[in-house]
């Protein structure tokens, strides 16, 4: 079954209104924290089933709408990121795929946070019982001070509540601080299965292993427990409704030996080196990986790449877009899809070409930015604002007309 039918677009306007009123998705996180903790690692709740609607074979990622709209950490332009409320809103707004980032707890549960440091995304600083756990660690060679998921059990983590990560830019999102707990990945899988049955279609996920070498060094390897959950919930085969992604190619190679689900290598700035390359004394940089030779190597164990948009459309010293590189053409020549990151509506994130006014938190000409991105022939895009991306993508989807024309 192909996702992204016209029927879904008919609810887009109502969903956008809900985004502004705070109605959509609140119920997803209304359960008490203690109840959520008791169920997160103890098996599947009654009625959820290990394998839901998404366990079936529907043809794989080639059947996704093109270009594909990926809800970056959910709908994080409107809700605190990596919460069930953010995921639910992204789905209600029509996102084709919903992203999760995974880090472990001390007792080995996979939870959804962009980073293992949680001082900026939870209310942990307000909990005096955890004050002594504030510390400084070296994560991928960078000194980070705060509180870290690997120092908490799942039960302890479930006493915290999520909050907006960048309140200076997204002050309205702070309205939802405290509404949701930190979800486990298993809770997300159960949520996706329930939504899949309710909507009679697959719910696609885009799942990243965060700092995998760092966590493996702590005895908390991510790939094996992730593969176990994917097998349990029927998302381990090549047509599964999930992408697996990582900035460390060795994590994707490891996953390729564990499950058949499609895999994406994430790529940061050209002059950087993946942390696993640093540890292995591999001299290659991202600039080497985006050459035809590097892309051919990636195609040996992955189906796509997730480059920063600057690798496709570089910005000059003034922040304006320059001439495109050949990355899209070169990646497609190796059979790799491209899911670049991250498109956002606010001036502070947009290329200088598309900013309006001087307020960094104000919206710029996001539609013009999306057009510039989609004009490059990318296969999909990560965005904090899936409703904006979907409306922009309509003009690029074969056989479809923009819904507002």
């Amino acid at each position: 079954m192909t996702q992204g039918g016209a029927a879904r677009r008919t609810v887009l306007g109502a969903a956008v209104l809900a985004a502004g009123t705070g109605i959509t998705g609140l119920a997803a996180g209304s359960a008490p924290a203690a109840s959520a903790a008791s169920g997160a690692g103890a098996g599947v709740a009654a009625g959820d089933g290990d394998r839901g609607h998404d366990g079936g074979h529907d043809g794989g990622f080639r059947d996704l709408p093109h270009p594909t709209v990926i809800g970056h950490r959910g709908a994080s332009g409107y809700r605190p990121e990596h919460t069930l409320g953010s995921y639910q809103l992204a789905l209600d707004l029509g996102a084709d795929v919903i992203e999760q980032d995974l880090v472990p707890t001390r007792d080995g549960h996979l939870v959804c946070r962009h980073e293992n440091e949680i001082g900026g995304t939870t209310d942990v600083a307000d909990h005096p019982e955890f004050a002594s756990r504030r510390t400084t660690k070296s994560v991928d060679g960078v000194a980070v001070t705060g509180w870290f998921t690997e120092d908490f059990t799942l039960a302890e983590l479930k006493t915290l509540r999520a909050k907006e990560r960048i309140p200076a830019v997204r002050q309205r999102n702070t309205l939802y601080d405290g509404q949701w707990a930190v979800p486990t990945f298993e809770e997300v899988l159960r949520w996706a299965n329930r939504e899949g049955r309710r909507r009679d279609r697959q719910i696609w996920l885009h799942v990243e292993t965060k700092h995998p070498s760092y966590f493996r060094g702590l005895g908390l390897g991510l790939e094996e427990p992730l593969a176990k959950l994917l097998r349990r919930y029927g998302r381990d085969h090549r047509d599964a409704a999930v992408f697996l992604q990582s900035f460390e190619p060795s994590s994707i190679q490891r996953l390729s030996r564990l499950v058949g689900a499609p895999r994406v290598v994430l790529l940061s700035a050209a002059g950087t080196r993946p942390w696993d390359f640093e540890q292995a004394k591999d001299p290659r940089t991202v600039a080497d990986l985006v050459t035809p030779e590097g892309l051919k190597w990636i195609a040996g164990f992955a189906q796509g790449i997730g480059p920063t948009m600057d690798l496709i459309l570089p910005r000059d010293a003034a922040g304006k877009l320059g001439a495109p590189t050949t990355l899209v053409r070169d990646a497609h020549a190796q059979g790799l899809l491209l899911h670049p990151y991250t498109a956002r509506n606010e001036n502070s994130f947009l290329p200088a070409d598309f900013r309006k006014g001087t307020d960094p938190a104000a919206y710029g000409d996001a539609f013009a930015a999306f057009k510039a991105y989609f004009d490059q022939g990318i296969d999909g895009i990560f965005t904090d604002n899936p409703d904006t991306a979907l409306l922009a993508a309509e003009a690029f989807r074969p056989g479809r007309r923009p819904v507002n024309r």
Side-chain angles (χ1 to χ4, degrees):
M1 181 189 301
T2 300
Q3 277 187 258
R8 183 180 64 191
R9 300 294 181 252
T10 64
V11 302
L12 183 57
V16 172
L17 288 175
T21 61
I23 296 172
T24 303
L26 274 174
S30 59
S35 174
S38 66
V44 179
D48 282 344
D50 280 12
R51 293 172 182 259
H53 180 90
D54 283 32
H57 297 249
D58 272 19
F61 64 86
R62 301 293 181 189
D63 284 347
L64 282 167
H66 185 280
T68 303
V69 172
I70 305 160
H72 183 239
R73 311 176 198 175
S76 52
Y78 312 116
R79 299 289 187 272
E81 66 190 31
H82 288 312
T83 59
L84 287 178
S86 183
Y87 299 152
Q88 183 70 48
L89 181 58
L91 190 61
D92 290 344
L93 289 174
D96 303 307
V97 185
I98 315 295
E99 186 202 28
Q100 295 78 44
D101 296 324
L102 302 185
V103 293
T105 64
R106 187 173 70 193
D107 46 351
H109 294 274
L110 298 181
V111 296
C112 301
R113 292 287 87 187
H114 180 243
E115 290 292 339
N116 51 326
E117 198 291 301
I118 55 175
T121 61
T122 73
D123 63 356
V124 63
D126 298 330
H127 287 251
E129 67 272 26
F130 299 134
S132 63
R133 298 195 196 179
R134 188 173 188 270
T135 186
T136 299
K137 299 188 179 191
S138 178
V139 182
D140 294 0
V142 178
V144 182
T145 299
W147 291 263
F148 299 84
T149 59
E150 64 266 27
D151 296 332
F152 290 76
T153 65
L154 178 60
E156 290 173 331
L157 200 64
K158 282 294 187 179
T159 66
L160 309 180
R161 309 302 285 179
K163 68 177 185 178
E164 172 57 35
R165 180 177 58 89
I166 46 174
V169 177
R170 292 173 173 166
Q171 192 274 334
R172 290 183 178 181
N173 289 13
T174 63
L175 173 66
Y176 305 100
D177 287 356
Q179 291 296 323
W180 296 286
V182 174
T184 68
F185 184 53
E186 185 165 16
E187 289 170 336
V188 172
L189 289 168
R190 297 204 301 261
W191 164 80
N193 278 354
R194 289 194 300 271
E195 288 295 323
R197 288 193 295 271
R198 186 168 74 87
R199 299 165 188 256
D200 192 30
R201 63 179 176 87
Q202 293 184 325
I203 306 301
W204 277 79
L205 307 177
H206 217 304
V207 184
E208 180 182 350
T209 57
K210 299 292 296 189
H211 310 299
S213 293
Y214 167 81
F215 285 121
R216 187 162 293 278
L218 298 179
L220 291 170
L222 302 175
E223 294 84 3
E224 290 80 7
L226 172 55
K228 183 177 179 179
L229 283 171
L230 292 173
R231 287 192 291 268
R232 180 175 184 184
Y233 286 84
R235 291 177 182 257
D236 56 318
H237 53 83
R238 68 179 183 178
D239 292 332
V242 62
F243 293 98
L244 306 178
Q245 55 175 336
S246 182
F247 281 100
E248 295 189 21
S250 63
S251 181
I252 296 301
Q253 289 174 317
R254 189 182 298 272
L255 284 166
S256 74
R257 296 189 290 269
L258 295 171
V259 293
R263 299 167 297 278
V264 173
V265 174
L266 299 172
L267 300 168
S268 190
T272 63
R273 294 167 65 196
W275 183 245
D276 54 343
F277 282 20
E278 294 272 4
Q279 290 193 318
K281 310 302 182 186
D282 187 327
R284 290 177 295 172
T285 65
V286 169
D288 297 307
L289 296 182
V290 296
T291 64
E293 180 182 4
L295 293 167
K296 182 178 180 180
W297 177 73
I298 290 174
F301 56 89
Q303 288 68 48
I305 58 172
T308 175
M309 185 59 70
D310 291 349
L311 292 173
I312 297 172
L313 278 172
R315 301 189 194 188
D316 63 20
K320 292 187 176 183
L321 295 180
T325 69
T326 63
L327 181 55
V328 174
R329 182 189 68 196
D330 294 342
H332 283 166
Q334 298 298 331
L336 295 168
L337 57 79
L338 295 96
H339 287 168
Y341 64 91
T342 304
R344 300 175 170 103
N345 287 359
E346 293 92 354
N347 280 327
S348 58
F349 301 114
L350 286 168
D353 319 55
F354 309 120
R355 296 171 193 160
K356 291 184 176 181
T358 59
D359 181 357
Y363 280 8
D365 191 352
F367 286 111
F370 275 112
K371 183 180 186 303
Y373 303 151
F374 291 146
D375 276 340
Q376 306 311 308
I378 60 176
D379 300 283
I381 195 164
F382 287 88
T383 176
D384 291 6
N385 308 92
D387 52 338
T388 309
L390 281 163
L391 194 56
E394 286 287 353
F396 291 83
R397 294 186 171 180
R400 300 191 188 280
R401 295 176 58 194
V403 295
N404 64 336
R405 296 182 185 174

